[in-house]
Amino acid sequence: MSSISSFLTEDNPCAEEACETLFRGLNGACSKETSIRRHEPLAKRTTLRVGGSADVYVEPATVHDLCQALRLCREAGVHWMLLGRGSNLLVRDGGVRGVVICLAGGEFVGVKSMGPMLSAGAGARLKHIAVEARRGGISGLEFLEGIPGSVGGSLRMNAGAMGSATFDCLESVRAMDREGLVAVHTASALDPGYRHCGFFDDHIALSAEFRGRLAPMAEIEARMRALSSKRWESQPAAPSAGCIFKNPASIPAGKLIQELGLKGTRVGGAQISEMHGNFFVNDGSAKARDVLSLIELVRERALNERQIHLQTEVQIVGEEESPCE
Ligand SMILES: Cc1cc2nc3c(=O)[nH]c(=O)nc-3n(C[C@H](O)[C@H](O)[C@H](O)COP(=O)(O)OP(=O)(O)OC[C@H]3O[C@@H](n4cnc5c(N)ncnc54)[C@H](O)[C@@H]3O)c2cc1C
């Protein structure tokens, strides 16, 4: 699901025709509130602002429509992948073959707090969670304020900042499997790791319950402000996908890149930020291939000069651009 490699399978040799059929099927099976588009540019849906288009893009309004979309993809043998707010994704220039499903509207964006508990749809923005938690006097979720993702993406990535991570404050998740079955899972059953939770390789988060502790609103506000200014002192404002690499055990990736003398290195319109070595920024003209070249360059130098294997934190999806494009 997360690494949608190829849309063309032996059972499905004609991608364009299958996409058209699927597109018509989706329009017939889903409610009119569900948004379904062909050839949707993904650059505008990712914070790095690079990459090609999705063959079919679906924004289901309801769990039922999501279930229909999965069913039709399954029947047509078409691959699909999930998109949150696109803040941890690098889409290759050839775009994504198959279907991109994004839970950014309808039933999936509600946020509600009661006592120390907060429930949120998978498409809700993390900023919205932090703001609602502050309004409800719930402390412990302040760190989510500056992470530009959705609840679903933060569960998949176990996103974290300033010493806290998503699973630290998670009670349970409502999730759908590939066949469309929905169940509630307690956080302790999901076995998250550092910037990863394998459960979401084949489950779609629909909504989540978080638990904080009740605290005075002024205290929460002060903590949010402190975290926010710390973030903006160390992080570039230009389009990026946040940290490109996971931190190796021995050294933070940003420090390693700085020590290798690579800050400021540029390929095409992509540059390693002068401000933070683990952020690659787009000057507005970057292609995905520029960012990928920078990633390779850094990995090679880290391996050759420091014997460190860097792993990407950013998820790389989609196809290479074909030579004639
Ligand atoms: C400026 C900037 C700052 C950042 N700071 C931080 C930070 O401090 N800490 C941090 O951890 N990250 C940070 N990030 C990275 C990113 O914001 C997080 O990883 C975030 O959780 C990704 O959420 P998203 O909704 O954008 O997911 P996407 O990037 O859209 O997707 C990420 C993964 O989640 C999967 N996914 C999306 N929705 C669902 C769902 N409903 N169910 C299952 N899987 C799903 C996708 O298929 C994909 O595999 C930063 C990024 C930027 C651009």
Side-chain angles (χ1 to χ4, degrees):
M1 178 171 75
S2 57
S3 59
I4 161 170
S5 47
S6 171
F7 170 53
L8 285 167
T9 65
E10 278 171 31
D11 304 323
N12 184 13
C14 182
E16 196 48 34
E17 199 183 308
C19 271
E20 259 322 302
T21 309
L22 182 70
F23 177 68
R24 283 196 297 275
L26 285 163
N27 276 296
C30 296
S31 67
K32 65 176 181 356
E33 287 75 26
T34 284
S35 165
I36 305 160
R37 290 198 277 276
R38 287 279 274 134
H39 306 302
E40 176 72 358
L42 294 174
K44 66 175 186 184
R45 299 197 172 271
T46 61
T47 54
L48 193 52
R49 302 259 179 269
V50 298
S53 302
D55 286 336
V56 180
Y57 173 86
V58 185
E59 234 177 75
T62 63
V63 171
H64 176 261
D65 286 357
L66 170 62
C67 205
Q68 294 288 36
L70 295 193
R71 179 182 62 78
L72 288 167
C73 288
R74 199 167 50 244
E75 286 170 8
V78 170
H79 287 274
W80 53 270
M81 66 162 281
L82 283 165
L83 169 72
R85 296 282 167 182
S87 61
N88 198 53
L89 280 183
L90 168 47
V91 178
R92 291 193 183 91
D93 294 314
V96 172
R97 300 290 71 77
V99 178
V100 169
I101 300 174
C102 180
L103 307 182
E107 283 181 8
F108 299 101
V109 290
V111 179
K112 202 169 62 193
S113 65
M114 194 186 287
M117 304 298 294
L118 184 146
S119 56
R125 288 178 188 273
L126 298 175
K127 188 179 185 67
H128 189 178
I129 309 291
V131 167
E132 174 59 22
R134 179 181 59 192
R135 199 200 58 76
I138 305 172
S139 179
L141 302 173
E142 295 90 338
F143 73 99
L144 294 173
E145 190 268 347
I147 306 180
S150 65
V151 168
S154 78
L155 292 167
R156 171 68 181 78
M157 299 309 302
N158 192 14
M162 322 279 174
S164 302
T166 305
F167 273 76
D168 297 346
C169 47
L170 183 74
E171 276 288 292
S172 63
V173 177
R174 202 165 125 258
M176 182 183 281
D177 70 14
R178 288 177 157 270
E179 272 66 51
L181 292 174
V182 175
V184 175
H185 306 263
T186 56
S188 56
L190 300 186
D191 194 25
Y194 166 56
R195 299 292 175 267
H196 178 77
C197 179
F199 175 79
F200 296 106
D201 287 351
D202 53 10
H203 286 81
I204 301 175
L206 302 176
S207 61
E209 288 273 327
F210 297 95
R211 178 188 288 278
R213 60 174 179 83
L214 293 175
M217 209 185 281
E219 198 182 285
I220 298 169
E221 173 69 39
R223 197 167 295 129
M224 272 168 80
R225 223 177 299 125
L227 291 175
S228 172
S229 50
K230 198 166 167 195
R231 178 178 286 275
W232 292 113
E233 276 162 19
S234 61
Q235 183 177 294
S240 77
C243 288
I244 289 286
F245 297 106
K246 292 184 180 182
N247 286 323
S250 54
I251 184 173
K255 187 159 190 286
L256 171 65
I257 291 165
Q258 177 172 359
E259 288 181 5
L260 289 168
L262 290 172
K263 272 181 157 184
T265 306
R266 176 180 278 278
V267 175
Q271 186 181 30
I272 301 178
S273 166
E274 297 276 9
M275 202 171 174
H276 190 313
N278 204 11
F279 276 59
F280 295 5
V281 293
N282 176 357
D283 71 3
S285 67
K287 305 287 272 178
R289 63 170 178 266
D290 301 335
V291 184
L292 289 162
S293 300
L294 271 183
I295 290 175
E296 271 325 297
L297 185 153
V298 171
R299 291 182 72 166
E300 254 180 62
R301 292 277 305 268
L303 188 60
N304 293 341
E305 295 175 33
R306 302 287 289 270
Q307 291 73 54
I308 295 175
H309 286 271
L310 282 174
Q311 287 185 327
T312 49
E313 178 170 325
V314 69
Q315 312 241 298
I316 302 169
V317 298
E319 310 291 319
E320 302 285 352
E321 201 171 26
S322 68
C324 56
E325 281 173 274

